[in-house]
Amino acid sequence: AGLDKATATQNIDRWLGQLGLAEGARSKLEELSHGNQQRVQLAAALVHDPAVAILDEPFSGLDPVNTRLVKALLRDLCDQGTTILMSTHQMHQVEEMCDRILLVNKGEDVLYGKLAEIRKQFASHAVIVRSVGEIPDLAGVCSREPVNGSILLRLDAETTPQAVLTQLVNANVTVDQFEIAEPSLDEIFIEVVAEEGGDAN
């Protein structure tokens, strides 16, 4: 969409300001740090207020402060109705930012759908529990293993997470955390690629 010069200038100033680049507006691109170049490219992609923005590794080279700034900006754009397609290998960014995902391996789509539904689809039959004091032996728990200060309880096929929680409550265990264990997107990607019989790329 073409913009007249006045509107384009106004939009450029607005985006450079929002991205913290106003002071370097007259600098040459090659003089900027990689992170600042990344933010300039983002401003260029958004200057015409697109209905759809396609971003390739938008957080590459950004420090934590600017990563947070860009995330907030992208969330605001989504709230305003902009559709954002993001290409990235950073699965933690996908988990935090995206509603839907498309996993691609060797140029072929291998998994597509809503992130929440995909995570449920690949969820193991297990729960993560953190408690004050020891967790007693529980019926239906096949094994337990420590995970980041919590305990991963793997359940047999007949035992529900609710049954485990009931046992914990009945045993007067003070529970600080109780959640159904879902794999990370990294783990899902590795599993899907292994099923396809190849290395991720």
Side-chain angles (χ1 to χ4, degrees):
L3 298 176
D4 61 73
K5 184 175 180 179
T7 303
T9 300
Q10 182 179 358
N11 285 2
I12 289 168
D13 290 343
R14 173 168 56 93
W15 282 113
L16 291 179
Q18 286 185 295
L19 288 163
L21 295 166
E23 290 183 8
R26 303 215 174 266
S27 300
K28 293 182 179 179
L29 189 62
E30 59 269 19
E31 295 173 349
L32 300 176
S33 68
H34 178 65
N36 283 345
Q37 288 181 21
Q38 187 76 355
R39 287 186 287 159
V40 167
Q41 291 176 25
L42 182 59
L46 300 175
V47 72
H48 62 288
D49 295 327
V52 178
I54 301 173
L55 307 177
D56 184 23
E57 299 287 359
F59 304 107
S60 174
L62 298 183
D63 62 31
V65 171
N66 285 306
T67 295
R68 180 182 294 181
L69 183 151
V70 170
K71 283 180 181 177
L73 186 149
L74 295 179
R75 286 192 188 99
D76 287 345
L77 285 173
C78 284
D79 291 344
Q80 295 164 23
T82 303
T83 299
I84 297 175
L85 301 178
M86 180 173 70
S87 171
T88 182
H89 290 85
Q90 303 300 317
M91 295 300 176
H92 64 283
Q93 305 287 12
V94 173
E95 288 178 313
E96 185 178 346
M97 300 291 296
C98 299
D99 298 319
R100 290 179 178 269
I101 62 167
L102 171 65
L103 293 181
V104 177
N105 183 47
K106 295 182 179 177
E108 299 289 331
D109 60 313
V110 294
L111 187 63
Y112 172 74
K114 293 182 178 179
L115 180 57
E117 292 174 0
I118 287 172
R119 292 190 70 174
K120 285 181 183 177
Q121 174 188 343
F122 285 85
S124 58
H125 197 55
V127 294
I128 297 172
V129 179
R130 185 171 61 245
S131 66
V132 176
E134 292 294 317
I135 296 174
D137 290 336
L138 303 168
V141 174
C142 302
S143 66
R144 58 176 71 200
E145 57 189 84
V147 177
N148 298 326
S150 301
I151 302 294
L152 176 70
L153 304 176
R154 297 198 183 278
L155 314 181
D156 64 31
E158 292 75 33
T159 302
T160 65
Q162 291 76 15
V164 173
L165 182 57
T166 298
Q167 290 183 72
L168 290 168
V169 171
N170 290 340
N172 293 317
V173 175
T174 301
V175 176
D176 290 334
Q177 175 190 16
F178 186 91
E179 64 182 87
I180 296 172
E182 293 183 341
S184 69
L185 204 47
D186 277 328
E187 293 167 327
I188 292 171
F189 186 47
I190 290 168
E191 180 178 339
V192 170
V193 169
E195 288 175 358
E196 293 290 314
D199 297 326
N201 61 13

